Amino acid sequence: MKKLTMLAIAAVAAYMFTGCAKQDDSLKMITEATFPPYEFLRGQEIAGIDVEICKAVAAKLGKKFQAETVDFDSVIPAVISGKADLAAAGITITEDRKKNVDFSDPYVKTGIVVIYKKSNPFKDKDQLKGKKIGVQAGTTSETFVTDQLKQEPERSKSPAEAVAALKAGRVEFVIADIDPAKNCVKGEADLALSDFITSEEYAVAIRKGQPELLKAINETIAEVKKDGRLAKWIADFTAEADKLKDK
Ligand code: ARG
C-alpha cells in the first residue's frame, strides 16, 4: 500500500513537472498566456486570438485541440523538442528564430512601444540609453535593449509584471508589444504609450521540416483573414481582455 502511494505521488509529481503531456490524436499549442488579447487566462482556460487560430488549424486537420502555457522563453524550445506541435504566442518573425523553427505566413503587423509615466515623458530612443528598462524575458523587447541599446534590461515574467515595476519606480521605462501594452495602461491615468519603435509581424512557429503542417496553418491563416474571423477575434478578445482589466 505504502509503495503504491509513493508511486502515485511520483506520477503526480512527474506530471506536474512535465506539464500536460501531448496526446497522439490532438494538436498541441504551446503559448505564454499573459499577453492579451493574443492569449490570456479566462479563469483556468487559455483564451485569445492565437488560441482561435490554432483551434481552426486543429479543426482543419480533424484533430482534438490542447493548449498549455509556459514561460515565454520556453515556448519555442517546446516545439523544437516535440513537446508541442504549434507555438503561437504573439511570436515575432526574426532571422535568429528562423534558424531554429519554421514560421507560417504572418497574421498580424505590429511592433513594440515604450510605456512611460506621464511625469517622465518619453521623447526618443536616445533617452533610453543607460536607463533601467523593464521587458518580458525572451521577447523582441529584450533583444531591442540588449542588441540596439547594448545594455541589460530588467527581465519580468509578463508585460504586466514589468508595468508593476514601472509603477513602483523600480524601472524608468517598459518596452512591450503594443496590444498587451495598451491593456496594461488601460485605466492607469499616469501611464502613456509611445509610437512604434519597431515594425514586427506575428506568425505561428513549428519544428522545422513539416511542410504538410505548415501548409495547413497557412491555409487556415488565409481563410480566417479572408472570411473576417481574424478581425472579429481581434475585436472580441480586445474587448474581453479590457473588461478583465476592469475587474
Ligand atoms: N512579439 C514579441 C516576441 O516575439 C513578444 C511576444 C510575447 N508573447 C507572449 N505570449 N508573452 O518576442
Side-chain angles (χ1 to χ4, degrees):
M1 210 34 178
K2 234 185 171 176
K3 236 186 192 168
L4 257 183
T5 318
M6 295 281 284
L7 264 180
I9 292 171
V12 170
Y15 182 81
M16 282 169 56
F17 286 121
T18 53
C20 181
K22 186 181 131 46
Q23 293 154 14
D24 277 350
D25 57 347
S26 69
L27 190 77
K28 183 167 174 180
M29 165 194 188
I30 195 86
T31 192
E32 192 287 315
T34 69
F35 199 77
Y38 291 91
E39 43 269 333
F40 54 94
L41 291 178
R42 179 199 280 149
Q44 300 278 65
E45 185 196 358
I46 306 169
I49 300 155
D50 288 338
V51 180
E52 295 305 321
I53 293 174
C54 292
K55 274 186 186 163
V57 174
K60 177 180 275 291
L61 296 170
K63 290 195 171 187
K64 284 191 210 148
F65 175 75
Q66 267 183 285
E68 186 183 347
T69 175
V70 293
D71 286 347
F72 186 69
D73 43 19
S74 300
V75 168
I76 286 183
V79 288
I80 296 172
S81 71
K83 185 182 167 204
D85 303 299
L86 314 174
I91 303 174
T92 299
I93 303 172
T94 69
E95 289 310 313
D96 239 20
R97 290 171 178 165
K98 273 191 196 165
K99 292 178 198 154
N100 299 312
V101 287
D102 282 341
F103 278 106
S104 70
D105 294 334
Y107 56 89
V108 173
K109 276 196 196 320
T110 183
I112 59 179
V113 296
V114 179
I115 308 175
Y116 59 91
K117 281 189 175 159
K118 287 182 185 162
S119 57
N120 179 33
F122 168 80
K123 290 175 211 87
D124 57 56
K125 289 183 197 175
D126 285 344
Q127 198 189 348
L128 299 172
K129 288 250 161 73
K131 299 286 160 59
K132 278 200 170 172
I133 301 171
V135 299
Q136 182 178 27
T139 59
T140 47
S141 298
E142 176 182 313
T143 48
F144 180 86
V145 178
T146 54
D147 299 3
Q148 303 221 27
L149 303 175
K150 313 261 182 241
Q151 63 195 51
E152 284 304 307
E154 302 287 319
R155 296 172 177 84
S156 293
K157 290 262 182 207
S158 66
E161 196 183 300
V163 170
L166 174 68
K167 284 165 71 180
R170 290 194 298 275
V171 299
E172 197 166 323
F173 297 103
V174 167
I175 300 180
D177 292 46
I178 185 140
D179 297 296
K182 275 188 183 161
N183 183 263
C184 283
V185 303
K186 197 181 173 269
E188 305 284 352
D190 48 342
L191 298 182
L193 300 183
S194 74
D195 293 335
F196 285 119
I197 57 171
T198 63
S199 155
E200 307 186 10
E201 285 181 321
Y202 294 162
V204 176
I206 62 172
R207 181 162 40 81
K208 278 187 179 282
Q210 303 180 90
E212 293 294 307
L213 180 56
L214 199 60
K215 187 166 165 251
I217 300 167
N218 285 339
E219 283 174 8
T220 304
I221 289 174
E223 284 161 21
V224 303
K225 271 187 181 172
K226 196 165 172 218
D227 66 16
R229 267 181 290 170
L230 181 61
K232 182 169 168 23
W233 293 333
I234 293 174
D236 289 354
F237 287 110
T238 301
E240 182 181 343
D242 281 354
K243 264 208 198 119
L244 281 176
K245 181 85 217 278
D246 290 340
K247 281 192 183 158

